[in-house]
Amino acid sequence: MQVREIFETMEWGPAPESAAEALDWIARHGGRFGLFIGGRFTEPGVAFATKTPATGEVLAEVTQASVAEVDAAVAAARAAQPGWAALSGHERARHLYALARGVQRQARLFAVLETLDTGKPIRESRDIDVPLVARHFSYHAGMAQLMASGMPGRVALGVCGQIVPWNFPLLMLAWKIAPALAAGNTVVLKPAEWTPLTALRFAELCRQVGLPEGVVNIVTGDGAVGEAIVAHAGVDKIAFTGSTEVGRRIRRATAGTGKALTLELGGKSPYIVFDDADLDSAVEGLVDAIWFNAGQVCCAGSRLLVQGGVAEVFHAKLRARMDRLRVGDPLDKAVDVGAVVDPAHRARVARMVAQESEGEVWHAACPIPETGAYYPPTLITGLSPASPLMQEEIFGPVLVSGTFRTPDEAVHLANDTRYGLAASVWSETLNLALGVAPRLEAGVIWVNGTNMFDAAAGFGGLRESGFGREGGWEGMLAYTKDGGETKPLVPVAPMTGEAGQQGLDRTAKLYIGGRQVRPDGGYARDVFGAGGRLLAQVPAAGRKDVRNAVEAARKANGWAQATAYNRAQVIYYMAENLSARAAEIADRLDAMTGTGEGAAELEASVGRLFHWAAWADKWEGRMKPVPLRGTALAMRAPVGVIGVFCPDESPLLGFVTCLGAAMAMGNRVVAIASEPFPLAATDFCQVLETSDVPAGVANVLTGTHADLAPVLAAHMDVEAVWSFSSSDVSGAIERESTGNLKRTWVNHGRARDWAGAAGESVAFLEAATEVKTVWVPWGE
């Protein structure tokens, strides 16, 4: 077709990108690749084929790593890590900057390889993926430079095992490797079985820029290789991006091991269009939201919610736009939608759509290639919120749609999902858009836009979309730990004695929903003092008591909407009322523990409540310097309902530390009192009753930590569980948290200095908040 003919018809002509250089690179390796271990490629071993989904042709054969080869990769990373961490931040920054420049120099080769391997359009690989890869390495070069001053006291975790998906193989590699290296860690990375080529080309780049041997290791293969990395005792952190179900299996496998873990999992992201939105812009945004990378995007705006008054008009505009999409050869620069990653995945998408009987299915009228793994852009309307396709991730070029009437209903429908990765809000009314955005349960929210990413802005999810952030300071934090030394925690046994007459009955109760209540099971246990004297009896809480406490906490969600100033005033009042009862409670501490330090612990507890009250309106978010005519606001949002197993070594100070930090950030708490010294918490309930704490914000249970840990950790209405118990419950909490993939913060048997800096660390505030990134463009 001649240029003149194109102008006459106004049809896009083909604009093919040459694959010659990428294919020559594969040919120079004989079409077969080994593993990258210790700075060198191994000889190719037992291999599998990687194919281009556009035609089904074999691109290369790639080695299936063995367990022994995974061991070798971890050993190489372990040997290299001390030396890499010992480099100055400036020296690590130079290496990272060299990687960024190397990606830029080889940008077209990386883009073509990515398109050949994944089937995504070359425009996306060239204009989005590869530039973002360079951006991440450049940004984290700066992070390496600033780590010592910007993150004082933080050190590298060690060896990081990283498993990346097939939808953004090179970009996800950069998201994970760049912060890990910046912080001083070394890496063993497994690319997806379907899309390993750009990771192998990146391995070559590591050699070319002189990265020390063993700092980056690439092992290829199927899920068995990933399992070997996850299970390896020499790995200190696992970072995984992929499906929610695999994320659950990884959480179970790492439970109790002490490995750090971040998971970026699936999503069913809402795309909300209000009746005052610029409908044409919203349609164009939707094209990027769901047909970008053929819908194979974890944060794809795959769940369209349109205000009822404009739904018919909007759907008509959308169908007309769908018919004009170009589906075809992903190496054609004029193509909008390429192939899905594999025929097996295409069959899965088709099967899910074929099973839908409720809605109206519309396939775009655009031509579809007869060969290759292509699926037509699809819209399904008229679905109820409970429809399987409105709830389940399709991960293909399929958009499902429903309607809403009011902003409150839009928020309710948007949050009616087990996921919480991303969301988009479209409205020309500023108050409406910015009023709705923070109410959405998602880690990333775009206002009048979609699929905006930058290395400076943290990305990650809530709920079953995983935990942890990638990018920004929050992403760097996930690759570091506190450099202070900790000691093993010695289990604290309860005092013993002989049951006898108490005199005045001092049977404590549970504190649930603002009231002192008896336990459902009707059992109590004796609490003896240091001299063997019976001090009181406390309830033995059970499963139903946990349920009641969590229900009370859920109902108290107004606490999260209270101003930070108001929360601070309540916590200050708690401190005042605790101080007013100082002598009585200090005597009780001495009677329980026999240490004679009750007065000092009580005074420290009053000070600790003041500390968290002071932080309530000072734990700030950030305005991220993203490349946008606008900004990305990293907002600090409360986690929700937090279950806490309180420490035994400082029963009152540890209790008020956890309770105060969580409350200051707007959370509601179900606290399990110290098992050997529970009266520290039950006496404090009287302080709660007189301190204007709304019912349900603070709930206190007593009982056996080992019995209550799996119950609280498995509860689907609890968003996080902390444990500082001297009982061995860390593993149980991590295992049982997999149901809704709640966040966990456990001690793995390590002690904390509750009276020192560790007791008032901002780590409590980090654990008590989620970072929600709201992207706000401005201007015409």
Side-chain angles (χ1 to χ4, degrees), residues 269-271 286 289-290 297 299-304 399-400 424 450-451:
S269 301
Y271 189 99
L286 196 49
I290 183 59
V297 183
C299 57
S302 58
R303 191 161 49 106
L304 171 63
L399 176 67
V400 298
S424 294
T450 189
N451 280 341

Side-chain angles (χ1 to χ4, degrees), residues 185-206:
N185 302 283
T186 53
V187 166
V188 177
L189 180 136
K190 188 196 92 68
E193 182 182 4
W194 282 339
T195 55
L197 293 183
T198 47
L200 295 169
R201 179 63 189 89
F202 179 81
E204 277 192 346
L205 179 62
C206 291

Side-chain angles (χ1 to χ4, degrees), residues 431-680:
N431 286 348
L432 176 60
L434 296 184
V436 165
R439 297 168 61 194
L440 299 175
E441 294 295 330
V444 181
I445 301 102
W446 296 293
V447 174
N448 291 333
T450 189
N451 280 341
M452 292 181 276
F453 310 100
D454 187 67
F459 181 89
L462 315 176
R463 298 175 171 176
E464 293 185 35
S465 290
F467 46 80
R469 294 292 180 266
E470 296 184 284
W473 289 99
E474 53 269 41
M476 271 290 286
L477 188 67
Y479 282 95
T480 65
K481 63 182 179 181
D482 191 327
E485 292 294 324
T486 61
K487 298 177 181 178
L489 183 60
V490 178
V492 180
M495 301 294 180
T496 58
E498 293 185 10
Q501 182 66 34
Q502 283 181 252
L504 184 65
D505 183 14
R506 293 297 301 270
T507 301
K509 296 184 176 65
L510 307 177
Y511 188 71
I512 297 175
R515 298 184 301 116
Q516 296 198 39
V517 298
R518 299 185 186 280
D520 177 72
Y523 287 97
R525 69 175 181 86
D526 296 333
V527 178
F528 295 98
R533 183 170 64 90
L534 179 63
L535 298 179
Q537 291 185 318
V538 295
R543 182 180 298 271
K544 189 174 180 182
D545 300 308
V546 170
R547 186 196 71 184
N548 293 341
V550 173
E551 285 181 356
R554 299 302 304 180
K555 291 176 183 177
N557 58 0
W559 182 247
Q561 279 73 55
T563 67
Y565 172 71
N566 176 253
R567 295 197 299 268
Q569 294 303 299
V570 171
I571 297 171
Y572 279 128
Y573 196 19
M574 289 163 53
E576 292 173 11
N577 286 330
L578 177 61
S579 182
R581 300 187 59 194
E584 175 192 350
I585 296 179
D587 287 346
R588 179 62 72 94
L589 286 171
D590 285 337
M592 276 194 303
T593 64
T595 63
E597 297 178 358
E601 184 173 347
L602 186 133
E603 190 58 33
S605 300
V606 172
R608 190 60 48 80
L609 288 171
F610 265 69
H611 178 78
W612 297 132
W615 267 116
D617 56 0
K618 299 172 187 66
W619 186 238
E620 301 161 337
R622 294 175 183 263
M623 181 178 285
K624 299 299 183 115
V626 294
L628 170 76
R629 192 170 58 170
T631 190
L633 303 173
M635 303 174 61
R636 294 283 183 177
V639 171
V641 175
I642 299 178
V644 179
F645 288 85
C646 298
D648 300 328
E649 61 270 36
S650 297
L652 178 62
L653 180 57
F655 170 77
V656 300
T657 296
C658 298
L659 181 67
M663 287 179 58
M665 295 297 104
N667 300 284
R668 294 91 73 196
V669 180
V670 177
I672 313 299
S674 163
E675 190 173 333
F677 308 125
L679 300 182

Side-chain angles (χ1 to χ4, degrees), residues 25 28-29 33 36 39 41 99 106 109-110 113 197-211 216 218:
W25 175 76
R28 287 198 298 273
H29 288 268
F33 292 87
F36 186 69
F41 278 98
L99 287 170
Q106 298 292 320
L109 174 59
F110 274 116
L113 275 174
L197 293 183
T198 47
L200 295 169
R201 179 63 189 89
F202 179 81
E204 277 192 346
L205 179 62
C206 291
R207 291 189 66 183
Q208 290 168 358
V209 302
L211 194 70
V216 169
I218 308 290

Side-chain angles (χ1 to χ4, degrees), residues 303 305 358 383-391 402-403 409 413 416:
R303 191 161 49 106
L305 301 172
E358 179 185 349
L383 295 175
S384 67
S387 167
L389 292 189
M390 289 289 277
Q391 294 293 327
T403 61
E409 186 180 17
L413 292 173
D416 184 22

